[in-house]
Amino acid sequence: MARHVLLAGIIGSTAYGLAGPGSDVDRIGVFAVDTVELHGLRAPRESYVTTRPDVTLHEAAKWCRLALGANPTATELAWLPPDLYETRTALGDDLVALRRAFLCAPRVRAAYLGYAARQLRTVERRLTGPGGANPRVAKAARHLARLVAQGRQLYRTGTVEIRLADPEPVRRFGERVAGGDLAAAYRLLAEAGDDLDRGRSPLPDRPDDEAVERWLRAVRAAHLAVA
């Protein structure tokens, strides 16, 4: 398992305010390998994923690549409310302070709407497949609405609130779609795309790769010695 965890916290439905009685608690984190491991014949492991408990840990370089691509799950780790962090080192704090450097308007639009489109395909497949509506349809629809809301916010303002200010409309949307209103899901995604196409973003056209590179090199310097 990962040794040097730099930053880790609770994400998913619990973080969004959408958790129900049977919801799992999802966690994500960033870890560093001993720098010497990067010079061997075989590359060190970049991710550790477990279920029960649901934990995903990414090595620092991989997490940076994911965040530079505006991957929503990776991105949210850097924007969690303080009470949801379970591990915060000095380098983890530096990463949170650097979170805007990973962002750029084109990638935020593409990633958030792209992941929302994947949730829409999941909704459609589950709703029209054998058995029809089931609780997993509502869950996928909720995540569709959540991704759209957070993507719009991040694109428009350059910041994102992981904990939804009012989760009830998202819950109601999930139930409406699960009840058969697939058109509402298509409409939500189309309206979001139109909205972002019309609006302007304070985010730059490219992320600050140099700032990210400096942080990653600081991680490597801090882990030169083999413990």
Side-chain angles (χ1 to χ4, degrees), residues 81-141:
D83 61 293
L84 292 181
Y85 285 112
E86 297 180 314
T87 300
R88 287 189 71 160
T89 64
L91 285 166
D93 286 339
D94 290 343
L95 183 58
V96 172
L98 191 65
R99 60 193 180 184
R100 293 175 190 272
F102 291 88
L103 302 174
C104 71
R107 294 179 189 176
V108 165
R109 185 195 186 285
Y112 277 80
L113 294 190
Y115 273 76
R118 287 172 56 180
Q119 290 295 324
L120 177 55
R121 291 193 292 273
T122 298
V123 167
E124 184 175 30
R125 184 176 66 253
R126 290 176 177 172
L127 196 58
T128 60
N134 60 62
R136 295 192 302 165
V137 175
K139 180 179 180 179

Side-chain angles (χ1 to χ4, degrees), residues 9-210:
I10 296 172
I11 59 167
S13 297
T14 301
Y16 313 140
L18 294 172
S23 296
D24 296 326
V25 177
D26 301 310
R27 291 174 168 86
I28 192 172
V30 181
F31 71 95
V33 297
D34 290 316
T35 304
V36 68
E37 293 184 27
L38 299 171
H39 301 283
L41 288 173
R42 296 174 180 82
R45 189 168 176 177
E46 286 196 310
S47 296
Y48 293 88
V49 180
T50 65
T51 57
R52 298 183 183 181
D54 294 311
V55 180
T56 298
L57 298 174
H58 295 304
E59 208 283 319
K62 180 174 181 180
W63 187 90
C64 286
R65 293 194 300 270
L66 291 170
L68 285 168
N71 175 285
T73 305
T75 296
E76 67 188 60
L77 175 62
W79 294 86
L80 290 177
D83 61 293
L84 292 181
Y85 285 112
E86 297 180 314
T87 300
R88 287 189 71 160
T89 64
L91 285 166
D93 286 339
D94 290 343
L95 183 58
V96 172
L98 191 65
R99 60 193 180 184
R100 293 175 190 272
F102 291 88
L103 302 174
C104 71
R107 294 179 189 176
V108 165
R109 185 195 186 285
Y112 277 80
L113 294 190
Y115 273 76
R118 287 172 56 180
Q119 290 295 324
L120 177 55
R121 291 193 292 273
T122 298
V123 167
E124 184 175 30
R125 184 176 66 253
R126 290 176 177 172
L127 196 58
T128 60
N134 60 62
R136 295 192 302 165
V137 175
K139 180 179 180 179
R142 288 195 299 270
H143 284 303
L144 163 62
R146 186 265 309 171
L147 282 162
V148 166
Q150 291 179 336
R152 278 174 147 171
Q153 183 185 43
L154 190 54
Y155 187 88
R156 287 172 172 174
T157 70
T159 64
V160 62
E161 295 178 3
I162 302 302
R163 183 177 284 138
L164 299 174
D166 184 5
E168 287 310 311
V170 174
R171 288 196 180 97
R172 290 196 297 269
F173 177 83
E175 294 304 317
R176 185 165 76 250
V177 173
D181 191 358
L182 186 58
Y186 277 100
R187 188 164 55 249
L188 178 68
L189 188 57
E191 289 173 354
D194 291 343
D195 179 43
L196 297 190
D197 285 341
R198 290 193 305 267
R200 298 188 63 182
S201 175
L203 296 174
D205 291 331
R206 294 182 57 82
D208 189 347
D209 289 351
E210 292 183 0

